[in-house]
Amino acid sequence: MGTGYRAARVVGAALLFGALAACGGSTSAEVRQAKAFTPQEYRVGVEDVLEIAVWREPELSTTAPVRPDGKVSVPVVGEIQAVGRTAHELEDEVAKKLANRIANPTVVVVVKEVNASRVFVLGEVAKPGAYPMRGAMTVVQALALAGGMTEFASKGDITILRRADGGGQHSYHLDFNDAVKGDAPIELVPGDTVVVP
């Protein structure tokens, strides 16, 4: 390959990066000022699988999924609300409920399968759907899981839908080029929906 070919590639690359830089993205101010997602102690969700072990009482130990109503069934204890609680909180509740039958019960709750933490990617992507969130995840990473954007995608108008504490919904707008450059540091949180028009 000659010098002319290399020069043409360099010029082409320069034009491409110049065009991307000139795109005046539509990333919202909230996204540009976003703080990194800080994971906290995991809270159990629907479809997670819990292993509940009672020391020296194998017949009281169980492995069970969290049902759609948010509860899990434990031998002798019955049904307990699991969704939204930590493993330590569940350990304390099971131990208290067993205390009248067993002296000083030692209970360990382990989340064996995390199935509740997901992000959803919809619209002009190769494989729309729900994707497991095993740790911190950016919009670019979620789009990669979904097989990337289609040729018809509007890269400058990606929307992130996030549940609000009061039951409402927040909408954040993101330009893909800003995300790739690192100008939009937003990280997704479980339950977010990324919409690519």
Side-chain angles (χ1 to χ4, degrees):
M1 298 202 183
T3 308
Y5 176 74
R6 283 192 201 114
R9 284 184 61 194
V10 169
V11 170
L15 289 173
L16 176 63
F17 287 122
L20 289 175
C23 292
S26 60
T27 300
S28 61
E30 296 94 348
V31 171
R32 289 188 186 278
Q33 299 167 357
K35 303 283 187 264
F37 172 62
T38 306
Q40 300 178 358
E41 188 173 7
Y42 183 76
R43 297 205 171 266
V44 173
V46 173
E47 297 182 18
D48 285 348
V49 177
L50 303 179
E51 181 177 344
I52 302 168
V54 182
W55 189 61
R56 289 190 167 176
E57 300 290 339
E59 66 280 353
L60 299 180
S61 299
T62 188
T63 298
V66 179
R67 301 188 314 246
D69 65 357
K71 295 182 180 181
V72 65
S73 298
V74 181
V76 177
V77 172
E79 296 181 346
I80 59 172
Q81 185 65 32
V83 168
R85 302 176 74 187
T86 67
H88 295 299
E89 291 169 349
L90 292 172
E91 289 170 354
D92 291 343
E93 182 175 349
V94 172
K96 284 178 190 170
K97 290 190 175 193
L98 289 174
N100 59 355
R101 296 178 182 260
I102 302 169
N104 301 318
T106 301
V107 178
V108 175
V109 175
V110 176
V111 181
K112 283 191 73 162
E113 293 179 29
V114 177
N115 297 320
S117 290
R118 297 183 209 156
V119 295
F120 304 88
V121 184
L122 306 172
E124 291 295 327
V125 292
K127 298 180 289 186
Y131 293 92
M133 188 171 183
R134 303 284 188 230
M137 182 184 292
T138 66
V139 173
V140 174
Q141 291 167 331
L143 292 172
L145 286 173
M149 293 182 278
T150 68
E151 62 184 288
F152 304 109
S154 177
K155 295 180 181 182
D157 197 24
I158 297 171
T159 302
I160 302 164
L161 303 175
R162 181 170 291 165
R163 283 178 287 195
D165 291 335
Q169 181 172 274
H170 289 295
S171 177
Y172 303 100
H173 297 283
L174 173 72
D175 184 305
F176 179 74
N177 295 326
D178 289 343
V180 171
K181 289 188 290 188
D183 293 342
I186 192 166
E187 289 186 0
L188 299 174
V189 298
D192 278 359
T193 301
V194 177
V195 181
V196 180

